[in-house]
Amino acid sequence: MKINVGFGRSTAQKAVNSANKHYLDWSKEHNINSIKTLADYYNVKYNDNKWYALLQGYVKAVNSCSFVYSRKDKLVVQATSFGEDIIL
C-alpha cells in the first residue's frame, strides 16, 4: 500500500501559479519593471544585497508616498511620513 505524503502535483502547481501571479500583481502596483519573475526577485533578495536594499527603499517610498533623490552619488529615500532618510 502506497501512502502519499505532502502535496500532489496539482496542488503544488496551483501554489506556484498563485505565488507567481501575486508577484506579478505586486510588481505592477509598484512599477517594478527590472525584475521580471519571482525567481529573479528571489535571486536579488538572497544574492544581491545592494540591489535588494535599493528595492526595499523604493517600495517603502512608494507605499508611504515619499520621494527618492540622489545626494553625492548616494540614493536617498525620504520617507516623509516618518521623517527619516534612508541613504543607500
Side-chain angles (χ1 to χ4, degrees):
M1 184 168 137
K2 183 177 179 181
I3 299 173
N4 289 333
V5 178
F7 295 110
R9 218 177 252 198
S10 175
T11 305
Q13 191 60 41
K14 287 178 187 177
V16 168
N17 288 338
S18 176
N20 286 331
K21 183 178 179 334
H22 174 73
Y23 173 74
L24 289 175
D25 292 343
W26 177 81
S27 64
K28 285 179 185 176
E29 287 174 6
H30 292 88
N31 199 24
I32 299 170
N33 300 320
S34 59
I35 303 174
K36 301 290 184 195
T37 66
L38 183 59
D40 291 340
Y41 170 80
Y42 281 129
N43 187 37
V44 168
K45 181 175 181 178
Y46 295 112
N47 298 319
D48 194 345
N49 294 336
K50 288 183 180 181
W51 180 242
Y52 187 66
L54 179 64
L55 178 64
Q56 284 180 312
Y58 172 76
V59 169
K60 184 176 179 179
V62 169
N63 288 340
S64 66
C65 300
S66 301
F67 58 94
V68 179
Y69 62 95
S70 63
R71 180 172 67 195
K72 294 182 184 177
D73 298 327
K74 298 282 186 179
L75 187 69
V76 177
V77 177
Q78 187 176 33
T80 57
S81 304
F82 308 107
E84 64 186 26
D85 286 352
I86 301 168
I87 301 174
L88 304 173

